Amino acid sequence: SAVISQKPSRDICQRGTSLTIQCQVDSQVTMMFWYRQQPGQSLTLIATANQGSEATYESGFVIDKFPISRPNLTFSTLTVSNMSPEDSSIYLCSAGGQGDEQYFGPGTRLTVT
Amino acid sequence: GQNIDQPTEMTATEGAIVQINCTYQTSGFNGLFWYQQHAGEAPTFLSYNVLDGLEEKGRFSSFLSRSKGYSYLLLKELQMKDSASYLCAVHYYNNNDMRFGAGTRLTVKP
């Protein structure tokens, strides 16, 4: 199994600012993903973080709002840009091998005021 | 579409058995995951069904029927700590993509 850490664990940010969330995996993984979980709801996939190329975004999510980096097989970042209160959510990183189960990071709880 | 439906909430008694159903309207997927999520925590893996049938792991079992488009998670000998949300997710092999249901919030009462 993979152990995944995220930084920061939580943050309170002002409207209009940006926050970058880091995700670190303790071993090389093929696939890394970013999810959002709004209060009381299930997980929604934001994008697949591709190593060495642009991320693949799901419908409703765009690169300008959620730029993602993945410089290597163990690390990825998600930036939430020009934040509004609607972006208040938990952001989860997950990782796994091709066809394997996905493991989740502990999440980053973001509050936008 | 990939409609994945689960009951919103369930309540059961400590020591009892509970079955959480998940129905889906999708095809061409590799398998179906069940995750447990305690409030304020990340989801943790419970089971993964690729083939039809029942997979048993201790107190938890999961069942998949592709022809009928449904899965269930069976929890036996319920404990108070089993109070959590249970998420089913359809898994697509090609990109390791997972699509989650809304989750079922289970409350175990003494």
Side-chain angles (χ1 to χ4, degrees):
Chain A
S1 65
V3 177
I4 303 173
S5 59
Q6 284 184 234
K7 288 196 295 188
S9 58
R10 59 177 63 224
D11 207 342
I12 301 172
C13 300
Q14 289 193 338
R15 182 194 300 260
T17 62
S18 297
L19 175 72
T20 296
I21 303 168
Q22 298 180 6
C23 176
Q24 180 74 54
V25 189
D26 69 342
S27 58
Q28 292 187 345
V29 290
T30 308
M31 317 294 290
M32 291 183 76
F33 303 88
W34 287 97
Y35 289 84
R36 181 172 73 184
Q37 187 172 29
Q38 294 181 307
Q41 297 188 22
S42 190
L43 288 79
T44 301
L45 181 64
I46 297 172
T48 303
N50 300 310
Q51 195 261 328
S53 65
E54 195 171 283
T56 306
Y57 289 84
E58 298 300 310
S59 176
F61 297 97
V62 295
I63 188 171
D64 289 346
K65 175 67 176 176
F66 297 101
I68 287 171
S69 79
R70 188 170 175 200
N72 56 52
L73 292 175
T74 64
F75 185 78
S76 178
T77 67
L78 168 75
T79 299
V80 186
S81 303
N82 188 24
M83 286 183 283
S84 67
E86 292 72 34
D87 295 320
S88 297
S89 186
I90 296 173
Y91 292 85
L92 292 144
C93 164
S94 77
Q98 189 80 28
D100 287 345
E101 66 185 82
Q102 287 186 27
Y103 298 94
F104 284 86
T108 297
R109 186 181 299 271
L110 171 62
T111 303
V112 183
T113 61
Chain B
Q2 308 161 332
N3 292 345
I4 302 171
D5 295 313
Q6 303 178 235
T8 305
E9 294 192 19
M10 297 182 72
T11 302
T13 305
E14 191 175 16
I17 299 172
V18 70
Q19 177 174 314
I20 303 174
N21 294 328
C22 172
T23 60
Y24 55 86
Q25 295 167 6
T26 185
S27 60
F29 65 95
N30 193 60
L32 192 141
F33 282 105
W34 282 95
Y35 281 82
Q36 179 190 61
Q37 187 176 27
H38 285 100
E41 299 181 13
T44 56
F45 170 79
L46 289 179
S47 67
Y48 182 44
N49 291 68
V50 176
L51 302 176
D52 281 8
L54 188 67
E55 299 258 352
E56 297 186 74
K57 272 189 187 181
R59 292 192 300 116
F60 292 6
S61 304
S62 58
F63 174 84
L64 175 65
S65 170
R66 289 176 183 267
S67 61
K68 296 181 180 177
Y70 92 104
S71 171
Y72 66 75
L73 181 70
L74 194 70
L75 293 78
K76 303 175 188 175
E77 301 170 19
L78 280 173
Q79 303 175 8
M80 299 298 290
K81 67 178 182 179
D82 296 330
S83 292
S85 287
Y86 292 85
L87 308 168
C88 72
V90 173
H91 176 231
Y92 298 89
Y93 179 86
N94 284 349
N95 57 3
N96 218 29
D97 191 1
M98 289 205 300
R99 302 296 163 142
F100 284 83
T104 298
R105 185 179 298 114
L106 173 66
T107 302
V108 180
K109 295 187 173 179

